[in-house]
Amino acid sequence: MRPDQRNPDPACELCTGDLPPAWALGYQDGDPAGEGTRETMLTLGNGYLATRGAAPEATADGVHYPGSYLAGFHNRLVGGADRPDGEETIVNLPNWLPLTFRPAGGEWYAPGRARRIHEHRLLDLRRGIYLRELLVVDRDLRRTRIRQQRLVSMANPHLAGLRTRVVAENWSGRLEIRSGIDGGVVNANTADVGGACGRHLTDVTGGADGPTLWLTALTTGSRQPVAVAARTAVEIAGADAGVPRTVVRGADDVAEVRGVDVTAGVPVSVDKTVAVGCGRDRAVHHPLTAACAELRWAGTFDVLLAEHVTAWDRLWARFRLDVGEEHGWQLPLRVQTFHLLQTLSPHTVDLDAGVPARGLHGEGYHGHVFWDELFIYPYLNLRLPELTRALLEYRYRRLPAARRQAAATGMAGALFPWQSAASGRDESPSRSPSPVTGEWQDDRTGRQHHVNLAVSYSVWRYWETTGDLSFLTGRGAELLVETARFWAGLATYDPSDDRYDIRGVLGPDEFHDGYPGRAGQGLDNCAYLNVMVAWVLARAGEACEIQDRHPGAAPWRTAEVPAAERGRWRHIARRLRLAFLPDGILAQFEGYDDLAELDWDRYRQRYGDLRQLGPLLQAEGDDPNRYKISKQADVLMLLYLFSAEELTALITELGYDFDPARIPATVDHYLSRTTHGSTLSRIAHAWVLARTDRRRSVDMLLDALGTDLADPAHSSTRAGIHLGATAGTLDILQRCYTGLEVRGDVLRLNPQLPERIDQLDCVLRYRNRLLVLHVDHQEVRITAGPGGDQPVPVAVRDQSLLLSPGATVTVALGAAPRSAAAPARQLPHPGRT
Ligand code: BGC
């Protein structure tokens, strides 16, 4: 029996099917409370278009939430009480799914209308298909079985399809089928903030043209057109059922109804093929004509399916990450890869779209972009580097907005807002509901200014990994220089001890936004910020020097950065102030040591789950700023982003006597005071622990892998996946446990596989070569793909090698034999709901 089965139905093709368990995410039946999360996890997308896994017969009713989204397609609703100028929000598109049936004279099937005897849903990850089997019985005891296959094409990003087989099990007679497009949708997947929820579509028009149903609408604020065209074919026994149809036009929707005579046990096949387009598409005149043309040229559902599966085959070959199936890790790893590719795929490369924190799977954070890309690019750099570049160029296009944002705070340079969307202006809310009480309160998270540091870090790591000189010396250098200018402007010089201070700012830890009694006023000399600033100032200077040496490569000239300015950066990068605790531990910010210790036992007893400790304290009338507590990795982010050697060098260059032997104590100090209220926190900590406490690192990784899979009923996943954690978990295996880094143009490996996995196999794309990597506890094996005339310099631990095209090298690790395998920890199985 498959793990997702509880009440197997011998007639259900999914219960009896042979889909390999490590390729199938399954749900059988399920409680209403968890439905939103299941819909998120059953989302299909292609990096351009994504559609939640809602049932085709469902409407938004508090349990179900049909939602479809296009990457980077936002709208602003104006006139809200809180923010009259609204907020840029990802738009819930017209719903292309609607498809239902009824025995003539009966009721259209919808959730709750007939008794659901069995419902089984499976995501076939390998083929990118959502399979569903449903058995219902109506008031007149007619049993009808529905089998569905759904896809959002990975071959042609504008196309999607839904195949439905209807089998009247114990009745014969007239069956009516209704297939439509619903433009009456609203954004209602999350709490409203600043006017994000509500109706984003207006001017809905729909009709029929030959076999095609179509519907267009405009977004209310940006007046962007969006279009959906659909064609529905009905067949019995492989032949066109040839039945006439009636087109029904509503105020905001359009549908067609067909009647066919069915015989008990003989399936009726209904294939709905859909094309979607919007006003931001390239190389189109109008999205409606484009969608109709796509549809006209699209093949049958079988053709669509074959093209889609081929595209997924290619993607899986490129995104392979195998750890063997015996420990139960393979399925969650594939689920992560799958959902990352739903949001960011090769199709995203041509779009003007960023990295929404909650994927294209729901309306969490209203589709906004934060700093989460920092956790995603390192993985993409070694798989699809042109995607990282495209996403960094999304940031580059928003430099003018970031310059205005900096200017608004009285600064030079560029400041990417904490939350932003299409235009790059600041979309951070000033108020939001407390996750504990639901009461609206001031939201000061938007005062985090570190997004530009994350972007700059990503520019440099992209360049190091790819050697893409034209990017670094052009747009990359401009991003670095503008970030350097902003932070250099914030740094104030204190001649008394020749130090620079950065005051009144916030680090990543959202439990601290000021000193006790001065909430919201910011903190001084945050370790994360000051070390990152020192590093970015140095890299900005280096980028200028590289550009000086390659003047032909860049349209933008860093020569405009005067020597005096570069000199000031160098000085700041050596003299920024850091604070330390008495025992040599890096302090999160100046004054951190004066904060109180929390009585953790008391709070654990009182609340159990402390992830939302900050809001819990606020609900008690207390102030989280009073305590040594952290929502997420902050100081320890530095050990996630830099190796211990790099960090030691950075702090030493700042003129501090830093003893790397204090790193384990630093990790213990912060880890024992962190609640992981952000899913990003476990990624950073799993990484940091990998070299000191591998068992805890793996536990942390497993928790992160379970983020979107566990406990559907109590999960914020209903509003989208956690994309940073999704990619971050994959990257821990790809780079952290293999010890992979690119330094000095050499690809270095220093594997430390956890005991709980026997081997790791993956495919990397490094400097235009495909490398097939195998790591186990005894050896590392790398095979270079053919092509390229230069060998790739590689180092495995201390051994340096040159890997010629097509060659394989094997290096023994000389590892001590492993101790007896630790008992495998069980991951939450997604199918148990
Ligand atoms: C975290 C941020 C993160 C955001 C979006 C918040 O809970 O604290 O660091 O960027 O979620 O994922």
Side-chain angles (χ1 to χ4, degrees), residues 460 463 469 472-473 477 480-481 537-551 556-559 561 563 566-567 569-570:
W460 195 264
W463 140 252
L469 186 68
L472 179 76
T473 55
L480 282 159
V481 163
L537 290 173
R539 298 295 78 76
E542 210 178 324
C544 291
E545 283 162 23
I546 295 174
Q547 204 202 56
D548 293 342
R549 292 198 299 275
H550 300 273
W556 183 79
R557 295 288 290 117
T558 46
V561 183
R566 297 187 200 187
W569 294 349
R570 273 196 299 277

Side-chain angles (χ1 to χ4, degrees), residues 470-550:
S470 76
F471 181 76
L472 179 76
T473 55
R475 297 176 171 193
E478 198 169 345
L479 285 161
L480 282 159
V481 163
E482 292 296 61
T483 303
R485 284 186 167 145
F486 173 80
W487 287 98
L490 262 191
T492 51
Y493 186 59
D494 179 351
S496 69
D497 59 356
D498 185 26
R499 284 268 166 213
Y500 286 88
D501 296 292
I502 298 184
R503 300 196 180 280
V505 287
L506 305 189
D509 167 25
E510 297 189 339
F511 287 172
H512 288 280
D513 61 11
Y515 290 97
R518 287 187 279 140
Q521 294 179 27
L523 301 157
D524 301 336
N525 293 318
C526 296
Y528 172 76
L529 298 181
N530 286 13
V531 172
M532 284 293 276
V533 168
W535 186 85
V536 167
L537 290 173
R539 298 295 78 76
E542 210 178 324
C544 291
E545 283 162 23
I546 295 174
Q547 204 202 56
D548 293 342
R549 292 198 299 275
H550 300 273

Side-chain angles (χ1 to χ4, degrees), residues 187-445:
N187 273 59
N189 186 223
T190 58
D192 200 6
V193 172
C197 298
R199 187 131 168 82
H200 283 266
L201 299 175
T202 182
D203 294 41
V204 178
T205 321
D209 184 7
T212 301
L213 284 186
W214 58 269
L215 185 137
T216 59
L218 293 177
T219 51
T220 53
S222 50
R223 310 294 289 177
Q224 287 279 352
V226 58
V228 181
R231 186 182 65 204
T232 306
V234 180
E235 290 184 354
I236 297 181
D240 182 355
V243 284
R245 64 176 189 168
T246 312
V247 174
V248 189
R249 281 192 190 82
D252 288 316
D253 65 340
V254 60
E256 58 181 280
V257 177
R258 315 252 188 123
V260 273
D261 292 321
V262 295
T263 310
V266 179
V268 178
S269 170
V270 184
D271 286 352
K272 181 172 185 180
T273 310
V274 173
V276 179
C278 74
R280 287 168 58 92
D281 294 341
R282 297 194 188 187
V284 298
H285 170 59
H286 188 279
L288 180 60
T289 43
C292 290
E294 291 286 2
L295 203 57
R296 229 179 2 263
W297 287 94
T300 60
F301 187 90
D302 286 320
V303 171
L304 226 63
L305 182 64
E307 291 168 350
H308 172 71
V309 171
T310 305
W312 266 108
D313 279 347
R314 285 199 202 109
L315 269 188
W316 280 118
R318 177 62 63 84
F319 281 84
R320 177 175 177 213
L321 179 61
D322 289 348
V323 293
E325 296 185 3
E326 56 278 18
H327 304 305
W329 293 28
Q330 194 64 67
L331 173 63
L333 286 173
R334 289 202 176 118
V335 171
Q336 310 288 72
T337 310
F338 186 82
H339 281 301
L340 174 68
L341 291 169
Q342 308 293 299
T343 312
L344 303 173
S345 85
H347 297 300
T348 318
V349 174
D350 286 334
L351 306 177
D352 179 37
V355 180
R358 306 302 288 277
L360 289 177
H361 297 61
E363 293 154 25
Y365 293 122
H366 309 134
H368 292 170
V369 169
F370 296 65
W371 71 317
D372 303 37
E373 63 210 74
L374 184 63
F375 296 78
I376 295 170
Y377 297 153
Y379 176 75
L380 293 178
N381 284 343
L382 287 158
R383 299 287 177 148
L384 205 58
E386 52 272 50
L387 186 48
T388 308
R389 179 173 172 150
L391 295 165
L392 288 171
E393 286 182 346
Y394 166 91
R395 287 295 193 180
Y396 178 80
R397 283 189 286 277
R398 283 150 187 80
L399 254 185
R403 287 194 182 102
R404 289 193 288 272
Q405 180 83 2
T409 62
M411 289 295 141
L415 171 61
F416 290 111
W418 176 236
Q419 296 191 31
S420 61
S423 67
R425 61 174 256 186
D426 189 3
E427 300 297 347
S428 316
S430 53
R431 290 175 68 71
S432 59
S434 155
V436 171
T437 60
E439 272 172 33
W440 288 78
Q441 54 190 29
D442 289 345
D443 185 334
R444 304 188 193 101
T445 54

Side-chain angles (χ1 to χ4, degrees), residues 34-52:
E35 185 58 16
T37 297
R38 289 189 292 274
E39 287 180 353
T40 296
M41 296 311 290
L42 293 166
T43 295
L44 293 180
N46 56 27
Y48 166 77
L49 163 71
T51 296
R52 287 169 60 81

